[in-house]
Amino acid sequence: RIGTVEFHVNKKHILLIDDDHELAELLVDYLTQQGFSVQCCFDGQSGLELAFKCDYDLILLDVMMPKLNGFEVLKALGSEYKTPVLMLTAKGDDNDKVRGLELGADDYLAKPFHHQELLARIKSILRRINIVTQQHQQTASGENSILAINNIELNHATRAVTCHTNPITLTGTEYQILTMLMEHHGKIIAKDMLSEQVLSRKLAPFDRSIDVHVSNIRRKFYPYCETEKIKTVRGTGYLFLTGEVVN
């Protein structure tokens, strides 16, 4: 049963890539009971092939696996791959968490985890994707679909992003963070607010998720920007600059 999947129209489809057979069996049973359709692979290479072959709504990706590890899978998927990825990392290994986010993962969950926490993370990511999709539909033919500030332009109808007219590829999480910052341009947005609004969870102590996502956005802007777009307000959060120098 683990090796096959049926794509039902009204179900969300999840690809689980993890070499822990016992855990995979438990997760497939649990997520199936929660109404998801789940396909499971036990090594990175076969998981990567399925990720490109089928249209999934979410990928659950372990780090340590044979053939290709989770980081190698993320690299191979590339920045153009749109399906959100939830990394499953070793508990307490902050380097794995940060590296996964830097390579394009939308979020991470440390093992061992409670099945209800996994379900909450899955629903949170799918909810974010649904919000973005609704924004596209609502603004597809409207004049307000374009948000342009300080040479950064967001097109909500197509989810296209440009920096000084150069196309930029963002993950779904990065796109939502940038949207929130730009919609409140000139105002400081606290990191805990970004975490609650975008990641649907309170910011935990030492949680660097928002910092890494913002760093990724800056890195993608860097080749095309001579001036700072997002200012860090130490101890508070972030500020999207309107073009003027802010001290």
Side-chain angles (χ1 to χ4, degrees), residues 118-165:
L118 174 65
L119 181 62
R121 294 293 182 92
I122 290 173
K123 288 184 175 181
S124 174
I125 292 175
L126 295 178
R127 191 182 306 116
R128 296 203 299 270
I129 299 301
N130 186 54
I131 289 173
V132 172
T133 300
Q134 290 177 349
Q135 289 175 336
H136 293 177
Q137 294 172 346
Q138 292 170 358
T139 61
S141 59
E143 295 181 357
N144 295 326
S145 63
I146 304 296
L147 178 59
I149 303 167
N150 197 3
N151 294 303
I152 303 297
E153 183 175 290
L154 303 185
N155 187 328
H156 289 312
T158 60
R159 220 198 79 172
V161 181
T162 60
C163 176
H164 291 265
T165 71

Side-chain angles (χ1 to χ4, degrees), residues 30-69:
Y30 175 68
L31 293 175
T32 299
Q33 291 173 13
Q34 299 301 316
F36 295 99
S37 180
V38 186
Q39 169 76 59
C40 186
C41 292
F42 300 111
D43 66 81
Q45 182 60 50
S46 59
L48 179 65
E49 292 171 0
L50 267 181
F52 281 126
K53 180 180 179 181
C54 302
D55 187 17
Y56 295 97
D57 295 290
L58 175 70
I59 294 176
L60 301 177
L61 179 62
D62 188 29
V63 174
M64 299 306 297
M65 294 181 295
K67 297 186 179 179
L68 293 176
N69 64 39

Side-chain angles (χ1 to χ4, degrees), residues 63-247:
V63 174
M64 299 306 297
M65 294 181 295
K67 297 186 179 179
L68 293 176
N69 64 39
F71 302 129
E72 291 170 326
V73 172
L74 278 175
K75 288 180 181 179
L77 289 174
S79 60
E80 299 291 334
Y81 190 74
K82 297 300 183 183
T83 301
V85 177
L86 175 59
M87 291 288 292
L88 305 178
T89 68
K91 186 175 180 62
D93 196 333
D94 292 334
N95 290 330
D96 279 0
K97 298 172 185 177
V98 171
R99 188 179 179 191
L101 295 175
E102 288 176 339
L103 290 172
D106 286 79
D107 203 355
Y108 62 82
L109 184 60
K111 292 182 177 180
F113 49 78
H114 193 281
H115 61 279
Q116 291 181 340
E117 174 66 13
L118 174 65
L119 181 62
R121 294 293 182 92
I122 290 173
K123 288 184 175 181
S124 174
I125 292 175
L126 295 178
R127 191 182 306 116
R128 296 203 299 270
I129 299 301
N130 186 54
I131 289 173
V132 172
T133 300
Q134 290 177 349
Q135 289 175 336
H136 293 177
Q137 294 172 346
Q138 292 170 358
T139 61
S141 59
E143 295 181 357
N144 295 326
S145 63
I146 304 296
L147 178 59
I149 303 167
N150 197 3
N151 294 303
I152 303 297
E153 183 175 290
L154 303 185
N155 187 328
H156 289 312
T158 60
R159 220 198 79 172
V161 181
T162 60
C163 176
H164 291 265
T165 71
N166 297 281
I168 305 295
T169 301
L170 300 180
T171 67
T173 301
E174 292 165 1
Y175 182 87
Q176 283 196 271
I177 289 174
L178 181 60
T179 297
M180 188 171 177
L181 291 173
M182 289 183 66
E183 287 178 343
H184 297 84
H185 60 92
K187 298 179 181 179
I188 299 172
I189 304 299
K191 286 194 290 186
D192 54 358
M193 180 179 292
L194 283 167
S195 184
E196 290 183 21
Q197 293 294 319
V198 177
L199 302 181
S200 299
R201 68 172 187 266
K202 292 184 177 181
L203 189 67
F206 310 110
D207 187 341
R208 297 183 56 200
S209 299
I210 295 297
D211 296 327
V212 176
H213 286 307
V214 171
S215 177
N216 287 344
I217 297 170
R218 285 172 167 156
R219 175 173 49 81
K220 293 175 181 180
F221 285 169
Y222 178 74
Y224 313 109
C225 296
E226 296 181 357
T227 58
E228 184 180 28
K229 305 298 182 183
I230 303 173
K231 180 182 179 65
T232 299
V233 182
R234 188 174 300 277
T236 304
Y238 296 98
L239 170 71
F240 191 88
L241 302 176
T242 57
E244 301 86 0
V245 176
V246 178
N247 295 318

Side-chain angles (χ1 to χ4, degrees), residues 18-35:
D18 195 315
D19 65 339
D20 187 332
H21 289 242
E22 182 177 355
L23 175 64
E25 181 74 40
L26 292 172
L27 291 181
V28 169
D29 286 343
Y30 175 68
L31 293 175
T32 299
Q33 291 173 13
Q34 299 301 316

